[in-house]
Amino acid sequence: MGMERSRIRFVHDANNDDKKDRLFADCRGGEVDVLIGSTQMMGVGTNIQTRAVALHHLDCPWRPADLEQRDGRIIRQGNQNPKVQILQYVTKRSFDAFMWQTTERKAKFIEQVMHGDLETRSAEDIETSQSFNMNEVKAIASDNPLILEKAQADQDLSVLESLATAHRRSQTQTRQAVDAANTAISSYSRRIPALNDAIADRTETKGDAFRATVAGQVFTERVEAANAIREHLGAAASRARVTREPVTLEALVTLGGHRFDVVVDSSLGVTKANLQMQAAPDDVFVRDDAFALMGLPGSHGVVTKMENALAGMEAALARAEQRLDAAQRDKVTAEANLGQPFAREAELQAVRHKVAELERVMRGQDSEEEQGEPQEEITTPVAPQAQATETAAATRGHQDEDESALWEQAWDEWETDSDSPSSPRTQQQINAEGSQRVRDALAARHQRHSDHGDSPSGPSHQGPQMS
């Protein structure tokens, strides 16, 4: 079987635009089976997706964007294949794990900057997240199944903690909604009766029934009343621009059986005026730019606007009643959701425990790896004479100098014999032979003392126990 050599191409052979265009055309036309190239050489402008069936990542780049750029060579509009393969190659216990880990960390940081809405996190989000795939590849490359298991557990924990955070924010917003509903209910419960009373106290101003009082002066003509209002508004506006503080003219105008206060405020070069009815200041008012509200001399626009506000009290009452009903419904809904526990709290705690347990086990593994491979039970003796003398003194107490000399002589003989050519022996065999040599020498000495009837003081000693 195999593959024709001519159908395997290397993009770096196309060292100019004309050659590259012909190469890409061959790829689209089915003349090339395998195209090998670097991320830079096969980046933007590489339109070879028509017949592409598999993309092979032979290494891990340093930037998450490079992975996206590579995948874009095959996951691209114009590909004739309904399904494609993307394969990543890693070497166990190699630098690949660090590469994938570094790229994963960068991808996570970028995602946190670009996507700040934690409430939209869901299982589907995993498929659009490159960081999870990188974490998985890193785990596979490390040749440790616990790392792969922990990678999945970390991802589950991240999703659940995001959902828990969203739940806490939702509860905070619910409490705020209850507070806002209570404030609205209190306000409209006060304003609705005031509007009902204001409607009952309203007098007719249409036609010849018009009658207005401005600063204590009675007017029966709208133009004259408007001129008087304009004069007082102009003076208040000038004062507000100078003092930069609101100017209030209480009960400046009486119209339709109700008194109107005037508040003029100048800020950032804009002067606003508000004519509000004392009985219902939040619902019956005329508010506009002070100079637009005054109008031109001889006009009566400001008076007409005030009459329209008086005539619209029924509509204001209807709006207040609707908003009161809405606030009461919002309060009921919010209170029903207030205090609800996080539905997946038990699952969150279980995953947290799992992650902590995996970390504990993996720390134990790391400690074992740092200690290296299991060694022989006894290390190669260093300065055996000193070790023998020290062990004998610690076990037997104070021995006479003859016995110490015997220990040193036994170890010297053992060292000399162990250095001579012989059949291969393990370190454990060498240590056992040295210990036996010392024990034999001590036994011979004790036997000599027994034959002469003077055994040495102190308990008998069997030499250092080495295995």
Side-chain angles (χ1 to χ4, degrees):
M1 300 295 290
M3 184 180 299
E4 295 182 15
R5 180 187 298 270
S6 61
R7 298 183 67 85
I8 303 174
R9 306 288 292 276
F10 189 47
V11 71
H12 292 260
D13 292 337
N15 52 18
N16 58 51
D17 291 341
D18 290 339
K19 292 181 179 179
K20 188 178 293 186
D21 290 342
R22 288 195 297 271
L23 174 60
F24 292 168
D26 289 343
C27 292
R28 294 191 296 270
E31 302 299 324
V32 176
D33 291 334
V34 176
L35 180 62
I36 304 173
S38 65
T39 305
Q40 290 73 21
M41 288 294 290
M42 296 179 64
V44 177
T46 305
N47 298 320
I48 57 173
Q49 69 277 1
T50 306
R51 301 174 185 274
V53 294
L55 174 70
H56 300 257
H57 292 284
L58 300 182
D59 65 356
C60 176
W62 283 108
R63 298 179 300 181
D66 290 339
L67 280 176
E68 184 177 358
Q69 184 66 240
R70 292 180 181 182
D71 293 346
R73 298 311 98 213
I74 191 169
I75 305 176
R76 191 180 180 92
Q77 185 176 4
N79 194 320
Q80 299 175 356
N81 299 295
K83 293 183 179 180
V84 297
Q85 286 184 310
I86 296 181
L87 302 98
Q88 287 127 343
Y89 295 87
V90 295
T91 302
K92 294 180 180 180
R93 298 185 180 275
S94 72
F95 196 71
D96 289 345
F98 175 79
M99 292 287 292
W100 283 105
Q101 183 180 37
T102 302
T103 308
E104 170 204 9
R105 184 171 62 251
K106 294 178 182 178
K108 284 184 175 179
F109 172 79
I110 294 171
E111 287 177 1
Q112 289 173 0
V113 174
M114 300 300 293
H115 306 288
D117 186 5
L118 296 178
E119 295 186 12
T120 59
R121 293 296 299 269
S122 61
E124 289 76 11
D125 184 49
I126 295 175
E127 296 181 358
T128 62
S129 171
Q130 289 192 47
S131 65
F132 178 75
N133 293 330
M134 296 171 192
N135 193 21
E136 194 174 32
V137 174
K138 176 195 71 176
I140 295 171
S142 67
D143 192 28
N144 188 342
L146 287 179
I147 295 182
L148 183 58
E149 184 178 358
K150 185 175 180 297
Q152 180 61 57
D154 285 340
Q155 180 66 19
D156 295 341
L157 181 60
S158 177
V159 172
L160 288 171
E161 286 184 337
S162 296
L163 293 175
T165 300
H167 173 75
R168 289 192 296 271
R169 290 181 177 178
S170 176
Q171 286 294 300
T172 300
Q173 293 171 353
T174 301
R175 284 191 291 271
Q176 294 172 348
V178 172
D179 293 341
N182 286 330
T183 300
I185 290 171
S186 176
S187 175
Y188 288 114
S189 297
R190 172 182 53 81
R191 290 158 61 176
I192 289 173
L195 279 169
N196 282 319
D197 293 341
I199 292 172
D201 295 338
R202 182 180 55 190
T203 60
E204 186 60 57
T205 62
K206 292 181 179 180
D208 295 338
F210 177 81
R211 181 182 177 86
T213 302
V214 180
Q217 185 176 359
V218 179
F219 297 93
T220 57
E221 296 294 332
R222 289 178 174 82
V223 173
E224 294 176 355
N227 288 336
I229 295 173
R230 185 179 301 111
E231 180 181 352
H232 289 283
L233 276 177
S238 298
R239 198 187 326 160
R241 288 200 303 272
V242 173
T243 62
R244 301 296 181 185
E245 294 181 355
V247 176
T248 301
L249 305 176
E250 294 184 358
L252 176 66
V253 182
T254 301
L255 180 66
H258 291 283
R259 295 176 179 179
F260 285 79
D261 296 333
V262 176
V263 180
V264 181
D265 187 17
S266 182
S267 177
L268 300 176
V270 178
T271 304
K272 296 287 186 179
N274 184 21
L275 286 76
Q276 53 193 27
M277 191 172 72
Q278 287 184 348
D282 296 321
D283 298 287
V284 184
F285 55 84
V286 177
R287 184 182 296 125
D288 202 348
D289 181 87
F291 299 99
L293 193 60
M294 288 187 289
L296 297 174
S299 65
H300 57 81
V302 64
V303 173
T304 301
K305 290 179 179 179
M306 293 177 69
E307 289 183 293
N308 291 338
L310 287 167
M313 284 195 290
E314 285 82 3
L317 175 61
R319 287 194 299 271
E321 291 173 340
Q322 292 174 355
R323 290 171 181 171
L324 176 60
D325 291 340
Q328 291 171 339
R329 291 194 301 270
D330 290 344
K331 180 181 179 180
V332 172
T333 302
E335 287 181 338
N337 295 325
L338 187 62
Q340 291 289 334
F342 179 45
R344 303 177 69 179
E345 181 65 27
E347 183 180 356
L348 173 61
Q349 295 303 327
V351 173
R352 282 176 175 168
H353 177 76
K354 180 178 181 180
V355 170
E357 183 64 18
L358 286 170
E359 289 176 346
R360 185 189 65 79
V361 173
M362 291 168 65
R363 282 196 299 270
Q365 286 187 350
D366 292 341
S367 299
E368 292 177 1
E369 290 176 0
E370 291 175 1
Q371 294 172 2
E373 297 296 330
Q375 302 293 327
E376 299 284 351
E377 295 181 7
I378 184 69
T379 57
T380 303
V382 178
Q385 301 91 337
Q387 180 179 351
T389 304
E390 181 180 353
T391 305
T395 306
R396 299 167 58 209
H398 295 288
Q399 300 278 347
D400 55 74
E401 293 182 358
D402 292 337
E403 187 164 345
S404 296
L406 180 62
W407 275 89
E408 293 177 4
Q409 179 182 357
W411 279 105
D412 285 339
E413 293 174 356
W414 168 73
E415 276 194 311
T416 301
D417 292 344
S418 64
D419 291 337
S420 61
S422 61
S423 60
R425 293 175 295 172
T426 65
Q427 185 63 58
Q428 186 173 0
Q429 290 174 328
I430 294 174
N431 292 339
E433 292 171 4
S435 298
Q436 186 61 46
R437 181 71 62 89
V438 173
R439 285 194 291 268
D440 292 343
L442 285 174
R445 184 181 185 279
H446 280 281
Q447 183 62 42
R448 288 196 301 272
H449 279 281
S450 298
D451 294 342
H452 292 82
D454 56 339
S455 63
S457 61
S460 62
H461 181 64
Q462 298 300 317
Q465 301 301 310
M466 308 177 75
S467 58

